[in-house]
Amino acid sequence: MKSITLIKGDGIGPEIAESVLEIIDSSGLVIDWDIQTAGADVIAKEQTPLPDRVIESVIKTGIALKTPITTPIGKGFRSVNVQLRKELDLYANVRPSYNLPGIKTCYDNVDIIVVRENTEDLYAGIERQIDENTAESIKRITRFASLRIADFAFNYALRNNRKEVCVVTKANICKLSDGLFLNCARETAKRFPQINFREILVDNCCMQLVQNPNQFDVLLLPNLYGDIVSDLCAGLIGGLGIAQGANIGTDCAVFEPVHGSAPDIAGQNKANPTALLMSAIEMLSYIGENDIGYKIKTALFETLRAGIMTPDIGGNYSCSKFTNEIIKRLRCII
Ligand code: NAI
């Protein structure tokens, strides 16, 4: 039996985790879930939002499914998500965005993969207060991390039959840091003559994504632009409720949706579990359970095609009723 860590965060995390666990359970696949809680809710008991036991579990199982964790805005503890990615060296954040059946959007045939560097840049949160009116953040980019993520993006493109990698920077302004990231991508591209290589500035990229997203294939970005652009890409296909993601390292992988803890709808049975479910399907394929993953995806797509959806994508089904509908269809497939 495969052991997988389930990192249960806060906000809508528990609701969507319950939904996805129920669906996987109904597929007949038996998983030994090592359930680990993290985030604001564990601080009172364990004095930290990210206890060592969480990291230890992922190191042991090598694989985790994770729900979002709230990060206090403008104050409070450091992001657990950033800390987790750093401690486990989950250097590649892969976020596919493609149209799902039945969900009406402004665009058809979107099929974009965001490959985001996951360990450095402004996102590392290296900041200092100079005086009461001045603060600074360090944008640290290294050749090592930039070459490593560029190599990942080109290999991903090759393995997945993609045609192009487009590197996205602001190297006209951040000449040293983004310039280094860009040069590492250029250098790596030379080793992959089969893959078309393109360069674009991040502001133009955002405009082009909104105007004509079909022109893009694999996007390669430093951490902060990757974070922002992947939410934009989620918007192109129907929103955060359906946007999946994976954090990949050398020794382990953590699968999690793009979205956050959605405090505005937490505890109301309104959350869309699709983004976590799609992340879990990707995780199943990662561990070699492609057949089960395919069946779950088919049940999900049939449900959406029938117009059964949560409110964020235009439906009126609650999280639990939507889950039951997927399970009903899954039982006919299994
Ligand atoms: P958010 O992604 O939580 O929510 C943005 C909007 O999308 C809200 O209106 C929310 O209701 C909606 N939404 C998100 N996921 C949804 C779902 N599954 N179903 C239906 N609607 C959904 O972003 P926000 O509000 O900026 O951040 C809230 C908290 O989450 C913050 O503390 C932030 O730091 C944290 N966060 C955590 C992440 C992680 O754990 N990996 C990633 C992003 C944010």
Side-chain angles (χ1 to χ4, degrees):
M1 197 195 318
K2 181 79 190 155
S3 285
I4 297 178
T5 305
L6 175 73
I7 305 173
K8 235 190 207 178
D10 43 40
I12 58 170
E15 306 162 50
I16 56 174
E18 194 184 325
S19 158
V20 170
L21 254 50
E22 256 183 73
I23 294 168
I24 294 180
D25 207 34
S26 310
S27 75
L29 181 69
V30 183
I31 288 174
D32 171 25
W33 293 105
D34 181 12
I35 299 181
Q36 297 287 337
T37 47
D41 296 350
V42 306
I43 296 182
K45 216 166 147 199
E46 302 183 63
Q47 287 76 53
T48 166
L50 183 62
D52 289 344
R53 59 175 169 74
V54 182
I55 304 281
E56 281 158 16
S57 171
V58 186
I59 290 172
K60 196 164 132 218
T61 60
I63 191 142
L65 184 64
K66 174 183 166 294
T67 76
I69 297 172
T70 304
T71 308
I73 296 171
K75 58 178 179 165
F77 59 83
R78 189 182 171 211
S79 164
V80 173
N81 309 303
V82 172
Q83 222 177 314
L84 196 69
R85 292 167 192 166
K86 188 90 188 149
E87 293 211 15
L88 295 167
D89 197 24
L90 301 165
Y91 67 91
N93 194 333
V94 185
R95 296 176 154 183
S97 288
Y98 57 90
N99 295 96
L100 300 189
I103 302 175
K104 287 197 197 79
T105 63
C106 299
Y107 311 96
D108 293 323
N109 306 317
V110 174
D111 186 8
I112 299 169
I113 308 288
V114 166
V115 175
R116 161 185 172 193
E117 201 291 320
N118 222 11
T119 63
E120 52 183 35
D121 190 8
L122 281 169
Y123 220 87
I126 308 165
E127 296 189 300
R128 65 179 178 141
Q129 194 77 44
I130 308 289
D131 59 43
E132 108 184 88
N133 298 311
T134 317
E136 66 180 23
S137 299
I138 311 288
K139 181 177 167 86
R140 188 166 189 268
I141 301 278
T142 65
R143 186 173 161 75
F144 169 76
S146 305
L147 283 176
R148 181 164 72 159
I149 195 65
D151 187 67
F152 181 96
F154 278 94
N155 272 307
Y156 181 96
L158 208 56
R159 273 200 320 276
N160 292 281
N161 217 10
R162 313 293 298 210
K163 304 279 173 283
E164 181 180 276
V165 172
C166 177
V167 64
V168 186
T169 65
K170 192 72 183 166
N172 55 334
I173 302 298
C174 301
K175 292 179 197 293
L176 298 182
S177 52
D178 280 11
L180 176 58
F181 191 86
L182 174 60
N183 282 332
C184 288
R186 283 177 179 162
E187 206 175 307
T188 308
K190 291 191 188 126
R191 289 194 286 113
F192 295 85
Q194 322 84 314
I195 307 289
N196 190 42
F197 177 59
R198 182 177 164 194
E199 305 175 8
I200 194 167
L201 296 176
V202 65
D203 40 355
N204 181 23
C205 179
C206 290
M207 191 277 290
Q208 301 270 349
L209 275 165
V210 173
Q211 211 168 40
N212 176 18
N214 304 98
Q215 65 180 294
F216 293 107
D217 190 347
V218 176
L219 296 177
L220 165 63
L221 309 96
N223 207 342
L224 184 63
Y225 307 146
D227 179 50
I228 297 165
V229 168
S230 52
D231 269 39
L232 195 165
C233 290
L236 299 175
I237 59 158
L240 285 167
I242 60 171
Q244 59 172 312
N247 303 286
I248 312 286
T250 315
D251 301 318
C252 48
V254 176
F255 293 79
E256 67 173 335
V258 172
H259 65 72
S261 56
D264 53 336
I265 56 164
Q268 298 171 36
N269 200 13
K270 280 186 190 162
N272 189 346
T274 303
L276 183 65
L277 185 59
M278 290 289 289
S279 310
I281 291 167
E282 201 55 40
M283 180 193 76
L284 292 176
S285 143
Y286 188 85
I287 61 168
E289 294 289 351
N290 302 56
D291 184 47
I292 295 284
Y294 179 76
K295 285 175 175 157
I296 296 175
K297 197 191 263 189
T298 305
L300 167 68
F301 285 7
E302 277 180 16
T303 309
L304 293 172
R305 213 174 273 121
I308 294 165
M309 297 175 194
T310 46
D312 59 305
I313 45 173
N316 54 11
Y317 277 73
S318 64
C319 178
S320 53
K321 285 198 172 130
F322 178 65
T323 304
N324 291 341
E325 292 288 336
I326 298 170
I327 292 173
K328 198 166 88 188
R329 286 164 179 79
L330 182 59
R331 291 212 169 109
C332 300
I333 299 170
I334 295 289

